[in-house]
Amino acid sequence: MSKIEEIVDALEVKVGQVLQELETVKQTNLKLEKELQISKQEFLNQQQIIVSWEEKYEALKIANTMLGSDENKRETKLKINTLIREIDHCIAQLSD
């Protein structure tokens, strides 16, 4: 009977160790999930900053062109035409 008790005791110890390891893995998983969420949020913030800087860059290019710079004249004309079409569309909607 003592042999069975030894086997059961050894099994209990191993199960206890597995449960401890499981708890450790769960804690690690929670920590990693939190880090992932933080990283995702930081990524989104960086994307917004990039978009903002791109918009500022485009506005600066247009301003430079309007000040007499020969660079990007075509792009500026296209942008102005697009803005005029949008304004015309808004006026047409208001007229209806």
Side-chain angles (χ1 to χ4, degrees):
M1 192 71 149
S2 70
K3 193 78 166 167
I4 293 175
E5 289 176 0
E6 289 176 15
I7 293 172
V8 170
D9 287 341
L11 188 58
E12 285 179 354
V13 169
K14 288 182 181 181
V15 168
Q17 289 173 345
V18 168
L19 290 175
Q20 286 178 341
E21 288 180 27
L22 177 63
E23 188 60 33
T24 302
V25 169
K26 283 182 180 179
Q27 293 298 323
T28 304
N29 191 26
L30 287 174
K31 180 182 173 188
L32 291 173
E33 285 176 353
K34 287 179 184 177
E35 289 177 7
L36 178 62
Q37 284 301 108
I38 291 170
S39 294
K40 283 181 179 180
Q41 187 60 43
E42 288 175 357
F43 176 75
L44 290 175
N45 291 341
Q46 292 297 321
Q47 290 292 75
Q48 290 173 347
I49 291 170
I50 289 170
V51 168
S52 172
W53 279 110
E54 286 174 345
E55 290 172 354
K56 289 177 184 178
Y57 175 70
E58 287 300 318
L60 183 60
K61 283 192 336 188
I62 291 171
N64 282 338
T65 303
M66 288 181 181
L67 291 174
S69 172
D70 287 336
E71 297 176 18
N72 305 319
K73 267 192 176 180
R74 183 178 188 290
E75 289 180 35
T76 303
K77 288 179 183 179
L78 291 173
K79 183 69 173 175
I80 290 171
N81 287 337
T82 302
L83 291 172
I84 290 171
R85 279 194 295 275
E86 288 178 10
I87 291 170
D88 288 342
H89 180 72
C90 291
I91 291 171
Q93 286 182 336
L94 289 173
S95 297
D96 293 340

